[in-house]
């Protein structure tokens, strides 16, 4: 397997990143002796047929974990597997495994070894792509994939946390494609009632159901000649997933209540803030649809993984909101650099917009005379992500609470996980899994 196996198009002005490919060798378990090469940037391990390294071990999940090629090994992300992913004996959710290290998945152990073969990973030279802004290596790798994927008609699956800019990626692909003159139709699959979404996507004929007083086009037909963007595709009901798969395979749709099919010329882009592989593992998402959507995969990094982009983004948003050529005040820049931004780019933009619109900063860079009054107790306003929708704010609040609570317990017990678990009233294993999910390590726990 080489990096040139599947080329979607040229990337002008891109400088490739040379990395050593990684050999994955099963050294223990039912598939001992099986090997695969990670040489195209990403790979998956699991029992499903579409994995790079397909195992027979019944204790391994269908899509167990994902690996991304790095400078000295690979980054491994557990995909909510049943029995967990362990790097050199430590259970992890997202971690780096160095060349020579081992992965344990269920009853299988995989050795990760660097090979002599160099792989060219495309990296764009620019700091922007469409409405996306970022100069970090992670974002420039994303730009290169966008530029290569755009000229084709391949289905693209965009995955990333809430607020990372998945729709901006879809719009960039559309604008760089041969369909740019056609419509770009976006739909949030999680915002439509399950009993209405089939009609929304495929349309209906008169009398198909109560209230259907006339024929109506679906979004597939509305996007004829252009691009259909399915946001939060994981929220689709299982029954509708089968119909979507049929539409993607046949390039035809059937309106609700009709016996006739209609051909459609549409490119489909899909996005989700929760890995589809997790849905495959728990049975909430069809495996064959997952692989049909993931012809090309783009994974957007969170701001936590590209903090070097925060000043660039802050200046960009400030100029948009306060006026061109307006320099961002140093105090505001310092404030955005000090925050963790669990809501990612969307939260950062909303924060700067709030500061500008409420007079926290002046258009010429002058600092405000006073902040507007708040109904929240002093200090609490900074903790409550009121710039996010309720569901996302609740998730962000829960993540912050769990992190602060766990760190406080570990500090109180001198880093002893056993004592911390007892104080929390949970099992030691439960606390270890929580720490792994939060990326917390205890130096006092050997």
């Amino acid at each position: 397997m080489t990096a040139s196996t599947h080329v979607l198009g040229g990337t002008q002005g891109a400088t490739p990143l040379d990395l050593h490919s990684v050999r994955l060798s099963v050294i223990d378990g039912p598939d001992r002796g099986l090997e695969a090469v990670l040489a195209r940037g990403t790979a998956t391990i699991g029992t499903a047929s579409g994995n790079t390294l397909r195992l027979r071990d019944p204790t391994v999940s269908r899509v167990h974990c994902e690996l991304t090629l790095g400078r000295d090994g690979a980054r491994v992300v557990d995909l909510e597997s049943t029995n967990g992913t362990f790097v050199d004996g430590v259970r992890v959710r997202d971690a780096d495994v160095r060349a020579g290290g081992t992965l344990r998945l269920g009853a299988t152990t995989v050795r990760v070894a660097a090979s002599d073969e160099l792989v060219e990973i495309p990296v764009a030279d620019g700091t922007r792509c469409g409405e996306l802004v970022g100069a970090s290596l992670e974002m420039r790798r994303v730009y290169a994939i966008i530029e290569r994927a755009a000229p084709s008609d391949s289905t693209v699956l965009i995955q990333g946390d809430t607020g990372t800019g998945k729709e901006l990626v879809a719009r960039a692909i559309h604008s760089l494609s041969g369909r740019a003159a056609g419509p770009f139709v976006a739909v949030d699959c999680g915002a439509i009632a399950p009993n209405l979404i089939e009609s929304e996507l495929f349309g209906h004929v008169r009398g198909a159901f109560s209230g259907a007083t006339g024929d109506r086009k679906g979004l597939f037909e509305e996007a004829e000649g252009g691009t259909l963007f399915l946001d939060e595709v994981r929220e689709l009901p299982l029954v509708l997933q089968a119909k979507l798969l049929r539409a993607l395979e046949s390039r035809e749709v059937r309106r609700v209540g009709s016996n006739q099919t209609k051909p459609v010329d549409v490119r489909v882009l899909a996005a989700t803030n929760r890995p589809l592989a997790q849905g495959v593992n728990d049975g909430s998402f069809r495996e064959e649809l997952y692989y049909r959507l993931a012809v090309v995969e783009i994974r957007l990094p969170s701001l936590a993984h590209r903090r070097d982009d925060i000043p660039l983004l802050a200046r960009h948003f400030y100029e948009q909101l306060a006026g061109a050529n307006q320099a961002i005040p140093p105090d505001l820049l310092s404030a955005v650099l000090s925050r963790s931004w669990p809501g990612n780019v969307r939260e950062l933009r909303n924060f700067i917009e709030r500061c500008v619109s409420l007079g926290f900063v002046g258009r010429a860079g002058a600092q405000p005379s006073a902040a507007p009054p708040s109904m929240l107790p002093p200090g609490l306003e900074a903790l409550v992500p009121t710039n996010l929708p309720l569901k996302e704010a609740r998730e962000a609040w829960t993540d912050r609470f769990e992190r602060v609570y766990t760190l406080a317990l570990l500090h109180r017990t001198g880093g002893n996980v056993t004592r911390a678990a007892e104080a929390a009233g949970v099992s030691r294993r439960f606390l270890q899994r929580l720490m792994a999910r939060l990326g917390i390590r205890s130096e006092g726990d050997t």
Side-chain angles (χ1 to χ4, degrees):
M1 185 185 296
T2 65
S4 60
T5 301
H6 181 53
V7 178
L8 295 170
T11 304
Q12 297 183 357
T15 302
L17 175 67
D18 290 333
L19 298 175
H20 285 279
S21 63
V22 166
R23 183 170 298 277
L24 306 173
S25 305
V26 180
I27 60 175
D28 193 18
D31 300 284
R32 185 172 181 174
L34 188 66
E35 291 190 341
V37 176
L38 170 56
R40 286 177 53 191
T42 60
T44 54
I45 303 177
T47 58
S49 59
N51 287 290
T52 310
L53 181 62
R54 186 184 183 187
L55 304 174
R56 295 173 298 166
D57 185 350
T59 61
V60 172
S61 296
R62 297 191 64 77
V63 188
H64 197 102
C65 65
E66 180 186 72
L67 289 89
T68 304
L69 205 60
R71 292 188 180 275
D72 185 23
R75 174 187 173 192
V76 59
V77 178
D78 180 75
L79 298 173
E80 296 293 329
S81 61
T82 301
N83 294 310
T85 299
F86 295 77
V87 174
D88 295 331
V90 179
R91 184 165 185 165
V92 300
R93 184 186 183 192
D94 184 344
D96 292 326
V97 52
R98 300 177 67 85
T102 59
L103 294 173
R104 181 161 62 83
L105 323 170
T108 297
T109 302
V110 179
R111 183 176 299 283
V112 178
S115 70
D116 294 331
E117 180 185 2
L118 283 177
V119 179
E120 287 189 352
I121 304 297
V123 178
D125 286 339
T127 61
R128 298 190 181 192
C129 182
E131 297 178 63
L132 295 163
V133 176
S136 62
L137 177 62
E138 292 83 355
M139 287 305 294
R140 289 188 290 122
R141 289 177 68 169
V142 169
Y143 300 162
I145 299 174
I146 291 173
E147 292 168 3
R148 287 189 165 211
S152 75
D153 262 351
S154 298
T155 308
V156 179
L157 176 62
I158 308 161
Q159 303 193 75
D161 293 342
T162 298
T164 49
K166 296 183 288 295
E167 184 169 343
L168 297 185
V169 171
R171 290 186 179 276
I173 292 173
H174 173 72
S175 65
L176 293 173
S177 73
R179 297 175 175 270
F184 177 86
V185 179
V187 56
D188 186 344
C189 299
I192 304 173
N195 61 323
L196 296 177
I197 194 166
E198 181 179 2
S199 171
E200 191 73 18
L201 288 177
F202 304 122
H204 63 257
V205 298
R206 180 180 179 182
F209 50 83
S210 177
T213 57
D215 293 356
R216 182 181 182 276
K217 285 184 178 181
L219 295 177
F220 267 89
E221 293 182 64
E222 293 284 350
E224 177 71 22
T227 302
L228 176 61
F229 175 53
L230 302 175
D231 198 8
E232 300 307 337
V233 69
R234 185 173 169 177
E235 304 304 319
L236 285 176
L238 276 169
V239 174
L240 198 57
Q241 291 175 27
K243 296 181 178 180
L244 174 60
L245 177 62
R246 191 179 307 115
L248 292 174
E249 296 287 358
S250 66
R251 297 293 176 178
E252 294 179 335
V253 296
R254 177 182 295 174
R255 294 182 181 181
V256 177
S258 174
N259 293 322
Q260 297 180 339
T261 59
K262 179 179 176 61
V264 288
D265 176 23
V266 174
R267 183 185 191 174
V268 173
L269 309 177
T272 174
N273 65 355
R274 295 184 295 157
L276 286 190
Q278 296 177 7
V280 173
N281 290 336
D282 63 28
S284 65
F285 202 85
R286 298 178 68 96
E287 179 184 330
E288 58 270 38
L289 179 57
Y290 165 59
Y291 288 115
R292 184 62 185 81
L293 292 173
V295 175
V296 178
E297 282 193 79
I298 296 178
R299 295 190 178 272
L300 280 174
S302 65
L303 269 186
H305 286 96
R306 57 179 188 116
R307 289 194 63 85
D308 289 347
D309 283 337
I310 292 178
L312 180 63
L313 286 164
R315 293 187 182 98
H316 170 69
F317 293 140
Y318 188 79
E319 287 187 4
Q320 274 190 336
L321 298 163
N325 302 319
Q326 293 292 327
I328 186 171
D331 288 351
L332 179 57
L333 184 59
S334 177
V336 298
L337 287 172
S338 67
R339 299 181 63 162
S340 59
W341 306 112
N344 294 294
V345 180
R346 180 186 297 146
E347 183 185 6
L348 173 61
R349 188 192 188 284
N350 290 346
F351 174 79
I352 292 177
E353 182 177 4
R354 185 168 66 247
C355 289
V356 172
S357 61
L358 297 183
F360 286 13
V361 291
R363 288 187 175 271
Q367 296 303 304
S369 57
S374 172
M375 297 180 65
L376 294 173
L380 189 59
E381 186 172 18
L383 297 176
V384 181
T386 53
N387 57 307
L388 298 176
L390 176 61
K391 180 181 176 182
E392 298 170 14
R394 184 185 295 117
E395 293 174 354
W397 178 278
T398 301
D399 286 344
R400 289 181 183 181
F401 166 76
E402 289 179 342
R403 176 177 294 277
V404 172
Y405 180 83
T406 304
L407 288 172
L409 269 183
L410 291 170
H411 177 72
R412 196 179 90 188
T413 59
N416 189 301
V417 176
T418 302
R419 288 174 53 201
E422 291 174 353
V426 298
S427 68
R428 187 175 188 274
R429 182 169 179 77
F430 178 90
L431 186 58
Q432 286 178 320
R433 293 181 66 176
L434 177 63
M435 291 168 60
R437 181 170 65 80
L438 297 173
I440 297 174
R441 290 189 176 182
S442 173
E443 296 180 358
D445 180 45
T446 58

